[in-house]
Amino acid sequence: MPSPLRRWLGRIGVGSEEGAWEDPRLSAQRSTADKIAEASDRQYVVLKGTIRSVSEVQRATANWLEAQLDDGTATVTLVWMGRPSIPGIEPGRVLKAEGRLSDADGKRKIYNPLYTLL
């Protein structure tokens, strides 16, 4: 029988995997997505994680949107070039992102990733 908390969460429409208090490492272990910590440079990856921060980066020609994605094993910066903002891309949001991982100067990034808001 589910705990009272799980029953209550079910009534308000929050599934067991959607709790904001969940440890992201547990989510990464249950996911079929790649783990950021295990991915190598130039590898095509499918990642699932939580956005920790979002910032707009000023460029000479067009602003870029950068978001830090955390899957519980490591973080990666998602970069959308020429996009100062994207509706739904905000801290605390869970998403699936895919693209080719770039590891330059110890900074892991994916440029213009495909994404699905979860």
Side-chain angles (χ1 to χ4, degrees):
M1 176 167 213
S3 72
L5 176 61
R6 287 194 188 271
R7 284 195 307 273
W8 181 77
L9 289 173
R11 282 196 305 267
I12 64 169
V14 178
S16 62
E17 290 187 32
E18 296 179 89
W21 58 85
E22 182 177 13
D23 185 345
R25 291 172 296 204
L26 298 176
S27 179
Q29 290 170 359
R30 284 195 303 272
S31 175
T32 58
D34 298 306
K35 292 178 179 60
I36 296 171
E38 296 175 2
S40 58
D41 187 30
R42 306 294 304 149
Q43 177 183 350
Y44 190 88
V45 293
V46 177
L47 307 172
K48 178 183 171 191
T50 304
I51 297 175
R52 296 297 175 205
S53 65
V54 178
S55 60
E56 182 180 349
V57 178
Q58 304 289 326
R59 297 288 183 176
T61 56
N63 295 345
W64 293 7
L65 180 68
E66 293 189 359
Q68 296 294 320
L69 183 72
D70 180 359
D71 73 349
T73 65
T75 60
V76 65
T77 302
L78 306 177
V79 179
W80 288 275
M81 297 183 281
R83 303 283 306 266
S85 66
I86 299 174
I89 302 294
E90 55 195 33
R93 188 71 187 251
V94 176
L95 67 80
K96 179 177 85 168
E98 55 185 293
R100 189 145 323 265
L101 184 67
S102 171
D103 193 356
D105 300 323
K107 297 179 182 176
R108 307 184 95 187
K109 296 183 179 185
I110 299 176
Y111 291 92
N112 295 318
L114 298 173
Y115 67 95
T116 304
L117 299 172
L118 302 174

